[in-house]
Amino acid sequence: MPAEPVAVIGIGQTEHVAARRDVSVAGLVREAARRALDDAELTWADVDAVVIGKAPDFFEGVMMPELYLADALGAVGKPMLRVHTAGSVGGSTALVAANLVAARVHTTVLTLAFEKQSESNAMWGLSLPVPFQQPLLAGAGGFFAPHVRAYMRRTGAPGTVGSLVAYKDRRNALKNPYAHLHEHDITLAKVQASPMLWDPIRYSETCPSSDGACAMVLTGRTGAARSPRPPAWVHGGAMRSEPTMFAGKDFVSPQAGKDCAADVYRQAGVSDPRREIDAVEMYVPFSWYEPMWLENLGFAAEGEGWKLTESGVTELDGDLPVNPSGGVLSTNPIGASGMIRFAEAALQVRGQAGEHQVDGARKALGHAYGGGAQFFAMWLVGAEPPAT
Amino acid sequence: MTGPAGRGTTSRAHGRDIAVVAFAQTRHTRRTDDMSEVEMLMPVLHQVLSQTGLRTGDVGFTCSGSSDYLAGRAFSFTMALDGVGAWPPISESHVEMDGAWALYEAWVKLLTGESDTALVYAYGKSSPGELRDVLTRQLDPYYTAPLWPDSVALAALQAQALIDAGEADEPELAGVAARSRRDAAANPHAQLQGEVPRGRHLVRPLRVSDCPPIGDGAAAVVLAAGDRARELCERPAWIRGMDHRIEAHGLGVRDLTRSPSTRLAAEHAGLFERPVDTAELHAPFTSQELVLRRSLDLDARVRVNPSGGALAANPVMAAGLIRIGEAASRIHSGESDRALAHATSGPCLQHNLVAVLEGEAHAG
């Protein structure tokens, strides 16, 4: 029996800000879930199961928060599953929910990811000492900066490429009412003049710490037929993981990322991603990861990703818009960031992305990664149902 | 929500048979100061794979369950993945839950037809911290957790509610403890074996023997679909159905003498279609076994917790997966034809999973 096709029929996110002091964790997730249900014109009773994801429990100080959040998400009496795959978790969570529909275990599933970073301190959460293991070296930026330098050295990319990405994403965020950073006075010169944090990563080339949540309603063919707004159809989805540390690991372009993308393209029947995909929501927490992932995801040949960025191809009005929403660089509720990429890709193919809509987007890629660039989750969504 | 008469959650409804084909666990101990989580897990992974002849690279999907709060650090599962040897890269996921839910995710993945085999593992070291304190962090962070009500105290509330309702008394609880620890004598993996004195009251009405030991441990399971399962295992433990349900978090809005989520999960898993001969219940407290028995209509004909159950070894995050593994093992060995496995999570049985396992009739 072939798998049930999976459709996204409802999307909701919160406004993302540094600190949502007006709501509890439960209030925050309920806001996103309510908006996703409203978008699908469904009620809590229409939901068969809830799949929830977030990054480490230490970020809010709540162990296994699905227990506490069951009531707020209308999950009482239903199955509730909690996914945690580090930074890729928002994407993985959506894929686990999609599998429940694809396997016909459930008809309609609510999936949600969140982070309320203001409840605690992410830097502290990532810096708890572990016996016999190396520390994460001054947060995520300290871990990733050497790999960015390796990329620059390997490809000969000029030092200006990172600032171009940040300037683009922050301008895109101005068109996205849910984005955390709305820097109305942003200029390229300002990005380039911002303080150097972890050479070569400047302050304006890093993601903020956000509070926020994102939710989606997933269903099968029958549910999609009843959807009041155009559904986004899942054409392919995959997860891949590789070890954190071993001698053969390529931190610049991890094999797991390449394999994951290849699997998604195979499922979706995409042979030339550069031509066939209309918009990309890519997990770029530090600006240089845009050119790096362009290569890793097969949009550019090895060593050529920075040229796409530099030539304006990835601009909102470019030939391959990357992060029309403003991306992780503008909004980073860590555990939700991956799901926001997946949801924004779905918004694009539904034609519901508002001011940051890419004209005529028919196929879009949502991408997430986490850990030491070792966990990958991606999906490709389309405006048309997948061919069976 | 679909009712029991509606769409079930049984494998057959999905057109694909999936089985537990191998199971391994550590010998659970009070402390493992001399080894890391990865070192504790590795022998179990090797054992479960060697039972099937599979190597990491042959497995279609891998899923694990663990908790950062036990490890005392964020992303604690990443080092375990290094131990698995995820190279070339593997299709892999993780739930921050008991490994029983990791097995559920893997089961769903196999149902989609994208994979034919799955490796599931779970581990937990309770020894580095004070488990009773750590588990208070599972509670509502604004109103309940600041009061630090610990897991034994909450279970004692449930036990007292059962006694107040006239559904149990202390001698009956003691009987559960005695039977569990007697059975554990035949389980080489158990932390507590043989007769254990009832001990003093830890939190009234619960005595030491009514509570689980605190310990460290790991477990792993291999799942396989259809003919692949028959190739890998002489008598696969077919998962006939599996479901899990959650209840409200606030204890004040729940009837603690009942477990409606367990009942509902059992209905969806198809438990009541035919009697089971064996039940592995994840009941860390004696009183919880009584609640579960009633919610599942288990009578004296059902062999409950032949492994000794969680009262003999309760490595947090692995104990639920071990129930599925123990039930499957009895099917593998021919001691059971149809078994129930149950896992729980959260205070006072808030979240419950039920799996129904069957072996095919013996030839001849």
Side-chain angles (χ1 to χ4, degrees), chain A residues 1 25 61 63-64 67-68 71 77-80 82 84 96 103-104 119 126 130 133 240-241 243-244, chain B residues 1 7 14 69 73 75 82 86 89-90 92 94-97 105 137 142 244-246 248-249 350-351:
Chain A
M1 187 162 55
V25 174
M63 178 183 182
M64 302 166 72
L67 297 164
Y68 150 63
D71 304 68
K78 297 175 187 173
M80 189 170 187
R82 157 71 195 290
H84 178 16
V96 172
R104 297 190 178 86
E119 300 275 328
L126 287 173
V130 184
Q133 289 171 19
R240 284 293 183 285
S241 310
T244 322
Chain B
M1 197 192 319
R7 190 186 172 88
H14 310 289
Y69 258 78
R73 62 161 296 211
F75 302 136
D82 278 22
I90 58 172
E92 188 262 350
H94 172 260
V95 296
E96 191 80 356
M97 307 177 79
E105 184 183 329
R137 304 300 89 191
Y142 307 103
H244 62 101
R245 302 280 156 165
I246 198 165
H249 185 58
Q350 188 192 345
H351 194 181

Side-chain angles (χ1 to χ4, degrees), chain A residues 64, chain B residues 22-28 36-45 48 62-67 70 76-77 80-81 84 92-104 119-126 215-222 282 314-325 343:
Chain A
M64 302 166 72
Chain B
F23 168 58
Q25 60 181 318
T26 50
R27 188 180 193 292
H28 310 293
S36 69
E37 291 167 324
V38 183
E39 289 169 314
M40 186 174 73
L41 175 65
M42 286 310 294
V44 171
L45 289 177
V48 82
T62 300
C63 197
S64 61
S66 67
S67 167
L70 293 180
S76 59
F77 56 90
L81 185 68
V84 170
E92 188 262 350
S93 183
H94 172 260
V95 296
E96 191 80 356
M97 307 177 79
D98 185 289
W101 277 268
L103 186 141
Y104 181 85
L119 170 66
V120 179
Y121 62 90
Y123 59 91
K125 283 180 64 157
S126 298
D216 301 350
V221 161
V222 173
H282 185 193
N314 188 40
V316 178
M317 310 314 287
L321 181 63
I322 290 169
R323 303 282 72 76
I324 299 175

